[in-house]
Amino acid sequence: EVQLVESGGGLVQPGRSLRLSCAASGFTFDDYAMHWVRQAPGKGLEWVSGISWNSGSIGYADSVKGRFTISRDNAKNSLYLQMNSLRAEDTALYYCAKATRTQIAAPIDYWGQGTLVTVSS
Amino acid sequence: QSVLTQPPSASGTPGQRVTISCSGSSSNIGSNTVNWYQQLPGTAPKLLIYSNNQRPSGVPDRFSGSKSGTSASLAISGLQSEDEADYYCAAWDDSLNGFLVFGGGTKLTVL
């Protein structure tokens, strides 16, 4: 059974940093691209970033480019999101998500339960 | 403002057939496949349809998807109360360096 468990969320002041983690199990992690998708309270889904199976292809939404960095450790079956210079508009539930193939353009088929990030002074 | 356009709401009575539209452009729906997600209240999204019209195992055949040009549709037949949820379309966009785009979501109410 595919399991994606996010951690690292919390309350943080504007301008500060936070690092999210996603522990994956139930599938061969390094066979698939991975994504971070967020959902602000009461709003829709917004793609944040994606990374291919070997980290060779990485993409970011314009809203986070230059501030967020996605990475993965295939030996640890883990996905990460380093978030710097956080803003109030980054407040959201952040989902870790698995793609169906190695490349980031492949559809997402599994989602974690999310970790909540609140940016507020 | 989402790149893919969906109606904010839809409704139907039990047993009815409802459709939800998703409109995009040549750089996303026009050149890539469309996927649909169902998000029940308080839960994570779930893949409902992939590659325009394919159902993952476990998804009832009441759910179907189609695509034509730069638009796509999700149809739900034999509507049930448990279908009340938010529905999102998604597609890869080939603009710039490429990115994943979602529709704004459609809240389906079963009357």
Side-chain angles (χ1 to χ4, degrees):
Chain A
E1 178 195 3
V2 171
Q3 285 202 324
L4 300 168
V5 180
E6 304 92 338
S7 61
L11 174 63
V12 61
Q13 293 179 326
R16 303 298 289 262
S17 299
L18 210 57
R19 189 194 195 207
L20 305 184
S21 299
C22 171
S25 61
F27 64 101
T28 305
F29 184 70
D30 54 11
D31 277 351
Y32 299 95
M34 299 292 295
H35 295 268
W36 289 101
V37 178
R38 68 185 181 183
Q39 187 169 33
K43 302 297 184 182
L45 301 172
E46 180 190 15
W47 179 73
V48 173
S49 182
I51 185 169
S52 64
W53 68 284
N54 63 353
S55 304
S57 179
I58 287 175
Y60 297 99
D62 284 346
S63 57
V64 307
K65 202 171 292 184
R67 300 187 299 123
F68 290 12
T69 302
I70 192 172
S71 62
R72 62 190 295 162
D73 186 336
N74 287 345
K76 295 183 177 180
N77 290 348
S78 294
L79 177 72
Y80 306 100
L81 186 68
Q82 178 66 42
M83 305 186 296
N84 298 332
S85 303
L86 283 161
R87 307 167 180 167
E89 53 265 36
D90 295 319
T91 294
L93 186 63
Y94 283 73
Y95 291 106
C96 167
K98 169 190 168 292
T100 58
R101 296 188 297 277
T102 58
Q103 295 306 312
I104 57 175
I108 289 172
D109 59 354
Y110 287 96
W111 304 66
Q113 289 305 303
T115 186
L116 182 63
V117 173
T118 303
V119 184
S120 174
S121 54
Chain B
Q1 184 120 359
S2 302
V3 174
L4 303 182
T5 301
Q6 297 180 235
S9 63
S11 63
T13 56
Q16 265 191 331
R17 182 178 188 271
V18 298
T19 61
I20 297 172
S21 62
C22 175
S23 177
S25 68
S26 58
S27 61
N28 42 66
I29 294 178
S31 50
N32 294 294
T33 59
V34 178
N35 311 297
W36 289 90
Y37 299 92
Q38 177 194 58
Q39 188 174 33
L40 297 169
T43 69
K46 168 192 167 185
L47 179 63
L48 204 59
I49 297 287
Y50 68 97
S51 297
N52 304 327
N53 55 17
Q54 302 299 302
R55 281 186 310 277
S57 60
V59 174
D61 59 7
R62 302 186 296 104
F63 295 91
S64 62
S66 64
K67 178 185 127 173
S68 178
T70 59
S71 294
S73 294
L74 172 71
I76 309 172
S77 59
L79 197 62
Q80 299 180 3
S81 58
E82 56 260 39
D83 298 334
E84 189 160 290
D86 293 323
Y87 293 85
Y88 295 89
C89 59
W92 189 256
D93 193 301
D94 292 329
S95 302
L96 303 171
N97 296 318
F99 52 98
L100 181 60
V101 292
F102 287 94
T106 298
K107 182 173 182 57
L108 175 64
T109 300
V110 181
L111 302 169

